[in-house]
Amino acid sequence: MLKTIRYAAFGLIALLSAGWGVVWFTDGDLGKLRLENLGAAIPGGVTVGGPVALTDTKGATVTEATFRGRWMLVYFGYTYCPDVCPTELQTISVALDKLGPAGKPIVPIFITIDPERDTQAALAEYVKLFDDRLVGLTGTKEQIAAAAKSYRVYYAKTTPKDASAYLMDHSSFIYLLGPDGTLRTLFRQGVGAQELADSLKSRLSAGS
Ligand code: NI
């Protein structure tokens, strides 16, 4: 499982650094965006993020405009994830704690790529385990597919041998979007909480 996710993440990195990203990243103009500590850049002419229509854990509709004016830390995953998602969500929570009041402009968002199991109720329970600030978003299969496509998120259902429940392979990046809703950077899987906090702090104070 972990291995598969690593392959998926590595796949994205490989795509980016090899310039094959054009296959995946096809439109818009993002310029040279540095991936934190990856040494890779998203190819020019690429957009990440855009219109989404999802539902929060209280049933309210959330679009790309909902959090305009605030910084967004977005992570895609699923509540049944045995390893990576809990680690990354914990990192986000600890980083926000480290920032203290300086982190107030940031809204952490968890978008499920497993809407079949991650209902509003299931997500509400799950996000509470990590952080009261964490916003859980789900939607129809189509809405999730559209959001994932917009953020270039890879995900696929997989059923390990002898397993009773399915798992989801998925790419794992933490996306930082600015108050204007544009992508500012991606943080790789495994980024440390202090490193994340430091980067957020300098980006927020620089406004970029
Ligand atoms: Ni996961």
Side-chain angles (χ1 to χ4, degrees):
M1 174 59 188
L2 194 58
K3 205 172 167 190
T4 323
I5 289 172
R6 278 191 184 138
Y7 277 133
F10 181 76
L12 176 55
I13 295 162
L15 279 173
L16 293 171
S17 43
W20 294 353
V22 285
V23 176
W24 208 342
F25 298 103
T26 50
D27 49 7
D29 182 17
L30 199 70
K32 292 280 179 190
L33 189 77
R34 299 299 299 177
L35 294 179
E36 294 288 326
N37 299 310
L38 283 180
I42 294 177
V46 164
T47 52
V48 176
V52 295
L54 298 165
T55 309
D56 72 13
T57 52
K58 294 185 179 111
T61 299
V62 168
T63 72
E64 71 286 355
T66 302
F67 299 108
R68 200 53 49 83
R70 298 188 67 188
W71 291 76
M72 286 172 277
L73 261 188
V74 181
Y75 186 76
F76 286 81
Y78 69 116
T79 67
Y80 280 71
C81 183
D83 35 47
V84 178
C85 295
T87 308
E88 299 305 293
L89 293 175
Q90 182 69 16
T91 299
I92 289 172
S93 176
V94 173
L96 290 178
D97 285 344
K98 285 177 183 293
L99 283 172
K104 275 256 155 87
I106 304 172
V107 53
I109 298 171
F110 178 62
I111 303 177
T112 182
I113 41 81
D114 184 17
E116 201 175 314
R117 290 183 297 198
D118 290 346
T119 59
Q120 287 170 30
L123 263 184
E125 285 302 311
Y126 188 73
V127 293
K128 261 196 299 188
L129 296 174
F130 294 93
D131 202 301
D132 286 338
R133 295 164 288 198
L134 186 59
V135 175
L137 299 179
T138 185
T140 63
K141 266 187 175 173
E142 292 74 21
Q143 288 172 323
I144 295 298
K149 191 177 175 200
S150 173
Y151 281 83
R152 323 285 170 168
V153 172
Y154 159 80
Y155 68 104
K157 199 184 266 192
T158 168
T159 308
K161 244 185 175 176
D162 306 324
S164 53
Y166 67 87
L167 295 170
M168 301 294 293
D169 280 347
H170 63 96
S171 53
S172 175
F173 289 97
I174 298 169
Y175 300 74
L176 176 68
L177 287 87
D180 59 355
T182 63
L183 181 73
R184 300 308 173 87
T185 195
L186 303 181
F187 298 93
R188 77 192 189 296
Q189 182 183 312
V191 64
Q194 189 63 55
E195 193 185 340
L196 179 58
D198 290 345
S199 177
L200 291 173
K201 194 172 185 179
S202 64
R203 285 174 182 282
L204 260 70
S205 57
S208 61

